[in-house]
Amino acid sequence: DADVTQTPRNRITKTGKRIMLECSQTKGHDRMYWYRQDPGLGLRLIYYSFDVKDINKGEISDGYSVSRQAQAKFSLSLESAIPNQTALYFCATSRTGFGLETQYFGPGTRLLVL
Amino acid sequence: AQKVTQAQTEISVVEKEDVTLDCVYETRDTTYYLFWYKQPPSGELVFLIRRNSFDEQNEISGRYSWNFQKSTSSFNFTITASQVVDSAVYFCALSENTGNQFYFGTGTSLTVIP
């Protein structure tokens, strides 16, 4: 079984709809991250969480919110989806260590906002 | 300014050729980590290697090798005797001891032609 899972894997929604992307991990890591990937732009950090009570904005947090329901679960919400949020979304996890440890990624969620 | 620069957007090689993917980084920290990830056509991100700033020893893993040179702030990745299965987008990333973030390059798309 995959260590980091994301649901759904694919989603089509309409402008203005609220949508939630979920991430679960069995790696026992305390740190979790949400990224989006756009062609030619690499990965950009949306939000990150170093433990259940710690939530931090990343580079591009506008239009997104997150919830860390448990150490193993980290959800990303688009309150009112817009077409330019069409992207590939990745969840990642890492353990606490010296500096930033290796991040392990989920399989990604392809989101299309019409 | 970009913290991680992958100047090669796309590279095509014929099978069995060697290919080097360039990565140049920028940081003021003396302690940092560098990473390479592979993203095959299926979309997932696969961790390949992590190197810390105190270890400039080159590393070889099968057909893969990495050349870390602090003097030129580069962490280049060479695939020897390329195979079609090496076709993917490859990302270089940097994490600094301060700032608690990963910085990804924009990726290099490698196509290996049979």
Side-chain angles (χ1 to χ4, degrees), chain A residues 35 37 40-43 45 48 50 88 90 98-105 107 110, chain B residues 31 33 35 37 39 43-45 47 50 91 95-97 99-102 104-106:
Chain A
Y35 291 88
Q37 183 183 11
L41 294 179
L43 278 77
L45 183 64
Y48 61 101
F50 282 179
L88 179 58
F90 285 102
F98 178 71
L100 282 185
E101 296 290 327
T102 302
Q103 294 192 6
Y104 295 92
F105 287 82
R110 292 188 182 276
Chain B
T31 303
Y33 288 127
F35 303 79
Y37 288 85
Q39 186 177 40
E44 72 272 22
L45 280 161
F47 165 70
R50 180 181 82 176
F91 290 97
S95 76
E96 298 170 318
N97 196 35
N100 293 320
Q101 289 197 28
F102 260 54
F104 282 86
T106 51

Side-chain angles (χ1 to χ4, degrees), chain A residues 10-112:
Chain A
N10 295 280
R11 179 74 182 265
I12 301 174
T13 192
K14 295 182 178 180
T15 297
K17 294 291 187 182
R18 184 178 188 275
I19 182 172
M20 180 181 289
L21 310 182
E22 299 188 355
C23 176
S24 294
Q25 53 113 348
T26 58
K27 298 185 76 68
H29 290 169
D30 47 357
R31 298 182 172 189
M32 299 186 74
Y33 310 78
W34 275 105
Y35 291 88
R36 66 177 279 176
Q37 183 183 11
D38 299 277
L41 294 179
L43 278 77
R44 292 182 293 168
L45 183 64
I46 306 172
Y47 271 96
Y48 61 101
S49 169
F50 282 179
D51 65 44
V52 174
K53 296 181 180 179
D54 176 76
I55 303 288
N56 303 281
K57 292 183 177 181
E59 179 186 352
I60 53 164
S61 59
D62 287 349
Y64 301 94
S65 62
V66 291
S67 172
R68 185 83 183 265
Q69 302 95 322
Q71 187 193 39
K73 296 183 183 296
F74 193 36
S75 299
L76 176 72
S77 293
L78 286 67
E79 297 300 326
S80 179
I82 55 177
N84 77 0
Q85 291 178 313
T86 293
L88 179 58
Y89 289 85
F90 285 102
C91 173
T93 74
S94 71
R95 64 184 178 94
T96 299
F98 178 71
L100 282 185
E101 296 290 327
T102 302
Q103 294 192 6
Y104 295 92
F105 287 82
T109 294
R110 292 188 182 276
L111 175 65
L112 173 61

